[in-house]
Amino acid sequence: MAAEEISGQADAAGLAALISRSSQENAGKKRGLPPVERWNPPFCGDIDMEIRADGTWFYMGTPIGRPALVRLFATVLRKDDDQKTYLVTPVEKVGIRVVDAPFIAVEMSVTEGQGRQVLTFRTNVGDVVEAGGEHRLRFAIAGENAELKPYLHVRGRLEALVSRAVMYELVALGETLEVEGQAMFAVRSAGEVFAMMPADELDAPS
């Protein structure tokens, strides 16, 4: 496998081929995401790959135009204790840059389950995630304009930034609720309450 080590000169197709072989070798009894959290390969340096704030993946300064290739790379993403993001296979671990969040939540559905509202999100790389106890929503206020930015936990330490269009849908579902003794503007999903901001600061989030 030494000849297949990823280096800064490797092209995206070669990297994808290595990931694909690793996935096949570790397919197990059922299909699903590779068990990247259990892999502990050596760190082989950083590569010139970046996920921009809008979710676009770049390799050596060029957008990766094949959605299937992006989805393949996304299956082996991992964020470690050092807060850096890596592509991980059983034999290689390489660092990449992430400007904001690695994924974007591009769609949301609202359903009722067991008498309670359930919010389910789809990401730009095909993950379908139900917000709740295991996949929590968090809200940050960022930028000069104090912009509301919702994030959804997807897996491991990886999050999806909720797109602006979906964020407006999310805000429309908000209500004033008491959270730890304070009136908060919040949203419910799967029996959990996720606070966006204090109710008295509600003034039309941008």
Side-chain angles (χ1 to χ4, degrees):
M1 299 299 289
E4 295 177 323
E5 287 187 358
I6 301 166
S7 72
Q9 302 302 314
D11 61 23
L15 179 57
L18 177 58
I19 293 169
S20 181
R21 286 192 293 275
S22 297
S23 298
Q24 292 168 5
E25 291 168 3
N26 290 273
K29 296 182 179 180
K30 63 179 181 179
R31 298 178 63 85
L33 292 169
V36 295
E37 301 298 330
R38 298 204 300 268
W39 292 340
N40 188 31
F43 175 59
C44 298
D46 296 329
I47 60 171
D48 188 9
M49 184 176 286
E50 180 177 76
I51 305 175
R52 301 280 175 87
D54 65 356
T56 303
W57 290 56
F58 282 74
Y59 182 72
M60 299 184 74
T62 301
I64 300 176
R66 293 173 54 196
L69 194 56
V70 169
R71 288 194 295 270
L72 179 63
F73 290 149
T75 64
V76 293
L77 275 183
R78 192 176 79 194
K79 188 174 183 179
D80 285 356
D81 289 333
D82 58 9
Q83 299 305 303
K84 295 180 180 178
T85 304
Y86 302 92
L87 296 175
V88 182
T89 77
V91 296
E92 306 284 356
K93 171 180 168 180
V94 294
I96 69 169
R97 298 185 301 277
V98 179
V99 174
D100 194 339
F103 309 133
I104 305 292
V106 296
E107 185 178 355
M108 180 182 73
S109 69
V110 185
T111 58
E112 292 289 328
Q114 299 180 343
R116 57 190 186 181
Q117 176 174 273
V118 177
L119 308 180
T120 303
F121 297 82
R122 179 178 64 83
T123 74
N124 61 319
V125 292
D127 296 291
V128 176
V129 182
E130 181 182 293
E134 294 186 7
H135 300 282
R136 303 193 66 80
L137 284 162
R138 70 176 181 90
F139 297 84
I141 304 296
E144 295 179 357
N145 297 322
E147 178 183 7
L148 178 67
K149 299 180 70 173
Y151 294 86
L152 172 69
H153 171 249
V154 177
R155 59 179 179 270
R157 297 182 180 88
L158 302 175
E159 293 183 313
L161 172 65
V162 176
S163 69
R164 182 174 291 272
V166 176
M167 185 268 287
Y168 287 135
E169 297 178 32
L170 193 59
V171 170
L173 296 172
E175 54 188 311
T176 299
L177 299 168
E178 184 174 309
V179 179
E180 297 181 351
Q182 183 178 3
M184 301 291 291
F185 188 65
V187 66
R188 302 175 189 260
S189 181
E192 299 288 331
V193 174
F194 303 105
M196 298 186 200
M197 64 181 70
D200 58 6
E201 297 178 8
L202 184 54
D203 300 331
S206 59

